[in-house]
């Protein structure tokens, strides 16, 4: 069965500092990988996704993620965070065939300090 | 184009009651999925509907049910509510015809259900 681990429950970063959110997945084949962001009182918004090809994926709002098969990881990065990036971030994995649905990690809450 | 809308946004019920939540997908989207989000269990897939048919189902008891109408609007129903059903219920719509995860899901803001 597929699974996702986000080892960091809560991360605090200073505004302007770089950010890396960790995501490890378990899946028997090459999965589809996603990062979503959820602001308070809002639904989830897709930041980026990886299906195949270039392992460095660019997303919206200046985010990027790198797929590392050898480490079963798909970490999210941003070179310089803004106060508006404070939110909860979810990594998700899904199969690249069939109609199975996404499995989400438990999320990482990001706090930005001035 | 309007996003996914969910009604109501907040709901308070008591144990044993039943509840119906509504979701209107993005115009043209035919797939609607429902998720339950709780602090303890995170985001869990409930079920997915496509063209009025349930195409996929998560691991939830039969008290959780849903349906989809011909205009793609969807409802989910929870009967005999339990305290543990308190959660944020998210609806997501997608245009993907085969139901795979390859297409982006667009999420609504959710309905916050509190069971007392």
């Amino acid at each position: 069965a597929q699974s996702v681990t986000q080892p960091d429950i809560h991360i605090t970063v200073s505004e302007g500092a770089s950010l890396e959110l960790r995501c490890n997945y378990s899946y028997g084949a090459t999965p589809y990988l996603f990062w979503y962001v959820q602001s308070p009182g809002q639904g989830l918004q897709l930041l980026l996704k990886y299906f195949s090809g270039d392992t460095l994926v660019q997303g919206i709002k200046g985010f990027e993620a790198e797929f590392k098969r050898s480490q079963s990881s798909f970490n999210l990065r941003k070179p310089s965070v803004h106060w508006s990036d404070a939110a909860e971030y979810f990594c998700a994995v899904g199969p690249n065939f069939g109609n199975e649905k996404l499995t989400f990690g438990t999320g990482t809450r990001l706090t930005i300090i001035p | 184009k309007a996003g996914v809308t969910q009604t109501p946004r907040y709901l308070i019920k008591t144990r044993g009651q039943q509840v119906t939540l509504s979701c209107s997908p993005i115009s043209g989207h035919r797939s609607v999925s429902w998720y339950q989000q709780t602090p303890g269990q995170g985001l869990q897939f409930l079920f997915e509907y496509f063209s009025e048919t349930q195409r996929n189902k998560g691991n939830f008891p039969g008290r959780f049910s849903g349906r989809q109408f011909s205009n793609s609007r969807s409802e989910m129903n929870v009967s005999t509510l339990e305290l543990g059903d308190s959660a944020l219920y998210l609806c997501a719509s997608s245009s993907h015809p085969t139901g795979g995860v390859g297409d982006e899901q667009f999420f609504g803001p959710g309905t916050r259900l509190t069971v007392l």
Side-chain angles (χ1 to χ4, degrees):
Chain A
Q2 59 198 35
S3 66
V4 179
T5 302
Q6 292 181 250
D8 304 306
I9 296 174
H10 187 198
I11 283 183
T12 300
V13 177
S14 298
E15 190 169 14
S18 63
L19 170 71
E20 182 168 27
L21 302 182
R22 296 184 290 167
C23 171
N24 293 97
Y25 69 90
S26 174
Y27 187 68
T30 300
Y32 285 170
L33 294 160
F34 304 79
W35 274 100
Y36 284 86
V37 61
Q38 185 178 33
S39 298
Q42 303 295 316
L44 276 69
Q45 180 184 23
L46 180 67
L47 286 174
L48 47 78
K49 58 187 177 185
Y50 172 78
F51 288 171
S52 64
D54 193 348
T55 56
L56 186 62
V57 181
Q58 301 297 321
I60 62 171
K61 303 184 180 186
F63 285 93
E64 67 178 26
E66 186 171 12
F67 170 60
K68 292 186 177 180
R69 184 191 305 274
S70 60
Q71 298 176 21
S72 297
S73 69
F74 188 58
N75 295 348
L76 182 72
R77 301 193 294 247
K78 186 170 184 178
S80 177
V81 298
H82 186 262
W83 64 266
S84 60
D85 293 325
E88 188 140 21
Y89 292 80
F90 294 90
C91 180
V93 62
N96 57 10
F97 61 92
N99 62 354
E100 291 296 317
K101 288 309 178 182
L102 292 176
T103 298
F104 286 85
T106 50
T108 297
R109 180 169 300 280
L110 175 64
T111 298
I112 307 295
I113 56 176
Chain B
K1 189 183 270 191
V4 178
T5 57
Q6 293 186 245
T7 56
R9 292 293 309 277
Y10 301 91
L11 206 48
I12 299 175
K13 293 286 188 179
T14 57
R15 279 181 299 174
Q17 287 186 307
Q18 74 167 22
V19 67
T20 299
L21 312 181
S22 180
C23 171
S24 293
I26 291 172
S27 177
H29 285 190
R30 296 162 63 191
S31 166
V32 174
S33 297
W34 288 89
Y35 293 83
Q36 182 195 63
Q37 185 179 22
T38 60
Q41 299 296 318
L43 275 153
Q44 294 184 288
F45 170 70
L46 279 156
F47 30 66
E48 184 228 357
Y49 286 86
F50 181 78
S51 293
E52 303 178 64
T53 301
Q54 187 181 86
R55 186 161 61 178
N56 209 340
K57 189 177 188 303
N59 190 25
F60 277 80
R63 300 185 297 107
F64 292 81
S65 63
R67 59 178 176 169
Q68 186 180 34
F69 302 94
S70 58
N71 61 358
S72 293
R73 188 177 70 87
S74 177
E75 290 180 347
M76 67 163 282
N77 183 277
V78 188
S79 63
T80 319
L81 285 166
E82 300 177 359
L83 294 179
D85 298 332
S86 294
L88 180 67
Y89 289 89
L90 293 166
C91 164
S93 75
S94 170
S95 62
H96 201 276
T98 66
V101 299
D103 204 23
E104 180 178 353
Q105 292 187 82
F106 293 83
F107 284 80
T111 294
R112 173 75 63 185
L113 171 64
T114 301
V115 182
L116 302 176

